[in-house]
Amino acid sequence: MNTATQLPVIERVSELRAAVEAVRRRGGSVGLVPTMGYLHEGHQSLVARSAAGDDLTVVSVFVNPLQFAEGEDYGTYPRDLDRDTEMSAAAGAGLVFAPPAEEMYPQTPITSVTVKGLNAMLEGQIRPTHFDGVTTVVAKLLSILGPGRAYFGEKDYQQLVIIRRMVADLCLPVEVVGCPTFREPDGLAMSSRNVYLSTGERPAATVLWRSLQAGRDAVVGGSRDPGEVEAAIAAVLAAEPKASPDYVAVVDATTLDRPDVLAGELRLLVAARIGRARLIDNLGVSCD
Ligand code: AMP
């Protein structure tokens, strides 16, 4: 129990199962919001969405070692469980599940969930083991809790598409709810990793959002050539000397394939490094 909020903080799988089972026995519905903690208003919007429709909202706070590669920021990823618990309570959560790594991985896992192809493009090209770590831990959390709904942000758009596909392929009995990206007033997508930005770098970080808007303007202006739209996005990124782009992509919103001619629902995606921070963002565009 967090004494400031009176919100239960559960570390053990068996205790979590018992707590969730008690709610279900009474006929209550359960929603899961998986996070890596260091919560912000974007996370809270997912929690509030669950709290509006589910009888019990569980926020998991777990920095999952499996989804970080050697040399990435696993060790330095920001952590503050007391604050996370308060923010979860404020947004309407009923409990926080914060397992230590040994609880989630009591032995080195030799079972893994892989969503082939989708895990290797875009983010997967830069972080080849990342999505297998994500799908494995999400499958595990779904298996532990058995929620009726699980909430994911469009902020991590490729992750959302991959989770939807995993749930469909494995017939998992859960509804995946995609939630819009919460942004700072200047357009920067909220992210726990924004703390890595120095004061001098922070204004430059809006370049991702500005570049996506330039891409959307190109589509709305009539461009149907993905290369042309990508060039419009890349030009804005190139004008910001503090940003080093990793990729710019214009893809089909469902398959993540790059079409020859733009049509239907599209997603524009960018990733760039600014100082220590590696930032990603995306924007949906409808193209008729
Ligand atoms: P993370 O803690 O970064 O793994 O994120 C946990 C969940 O919150 C994921 O489903 C993210 O997509 C979602 N999320 C992160 N940032 C935002 C944001 N700015 N707006 C909405 N959802 C977000």
Side-chain angles (χ1 to χ4, degrees):
M1 192 73 75
N2 177 298
T3 47
T5 61
Q6 301 302 305
L7 198 66
V9 179
I10 292 180
E11 293 191 354
R12 303 287 156 218
V13 168
S14 55
E15 275 176 49
L16 179 68
R17 280 200 161 125
V20 168
E21 205 34 58
V23 172
R24 244 195 308 264
R25 250 198 317 268
R26 294 196 298 267
S29 61
V30 177
L32 169 65
V33 181
T35 81
M36 295 206 299
Y38 213 69
L39 302 190
H40 49 66
E41 286 173 78
H43 296 111
Q44 282 187 306
S45 69
L46 273 57
V47 177
R49 178 92 176 261
S50 170
D54 301 311
D55 296 306
L56 172 66
T57 296
V58 177
V59 177
S60 62
V61 174
F62 181 58
V63 185
N64 173 33
L66 228 54
Q67 69 192 68
F68 290 79
E70 203 67 41
E72 290 186 346
D73 56 346
Y74 175 69
T76 55
Y77 195 86
R79 291 160 166 91
D80 189 341
L81 185 58
D82 282 345
R83 186 168 153 274
D84 290 344
T85 307
E86 280 163 31
M87 291 186 71
S88 298
L95 67 83
V96 169
F97 178 49
E102 320 82 75
E103 182 71 8
M104 287 299 275
Y105 303 115
Q107 51 191 344
T108 305
I110 55 174
T111 304
S112 153
V113 179
T114 297
V115 180
K116 282 187 280 189
L118 288 176
N119 69 348
M121 53 175 68
L122 302 166
E123 279 296 288
Q125 285 201 311
I126 317 265
R127 309 180 70 193
T129 59
H130 172 67
F131 286 117
D132 289 2
V134 171
T135 42
T136 301
V137 81
V138 171
K140 220 168 145 129
L141 288 167
L142 294 174
S143 161
I144 292 168
L145 260 90
R149 297 191 193 93
Y151 299 79
F152 294 88
E154 288 182 357
K155 157 75 173 41
D156 299 279
Y157 191 77
Q158 186 177 4
Q159 169 175 284
L160 174 61
V161 169
I162 287 175
I163 301 272
R164 283 194 196 286
R165 184 58 189 260
M166 172 185 82
V167 164
D169 283 355
L170 298 180
C171 299
L172 299 178
V174 62
E175 181 192 342
V176 174
V177 182
C179 304
T181 302
F182 222 81
R183 297 179 181 280
E184 301 285 356
D186 65 3
L188 175 66
M190 289 190 183
S191 165
S192 309
R193 287 191 168 100
N194 289 350
V195 292
Y196 296 153
L197 294 164
S198 69
T199 319
E201 289 160 353
R202 173 60 186 80
T206 60
V207 73
L208 280 84
W209 175 233
R210 287 186 281 114
S211 74
L212 291 167
Q213 286 176 302
R216 180 182 56 193
D217 291 348
V219 177
V220 171
S223 179
R224 295 295 176 263
D225 173 359
E228 204 172 273
V229 177
E230 284 163 359
I233 298 170
V236 175
L237 288 170
E240 174 47 69
K242 290 195 170 77
S244 315
D246 270 346
Y247 60 80
V248 168
V250 178
V251 299
D252 178 273
T254 310
T255 63
L256 302 186
D257 287 334
R258 187 175 187 269
D260 294 331
V261 178
L262 300 181
E265 295 301 317
L266 307 171
R267 208 79 195 181
L268 319 180
L269 300 109
V270 293
R273 289 168 202 276
I274 297 180
R276 271 181 68 214
R278 183 171 180 280
L279 304 177
I280 60 173
D281 201 354
N282 66 86
L283 179 62
V285 190
S286 201
C287 176
D288 300 312

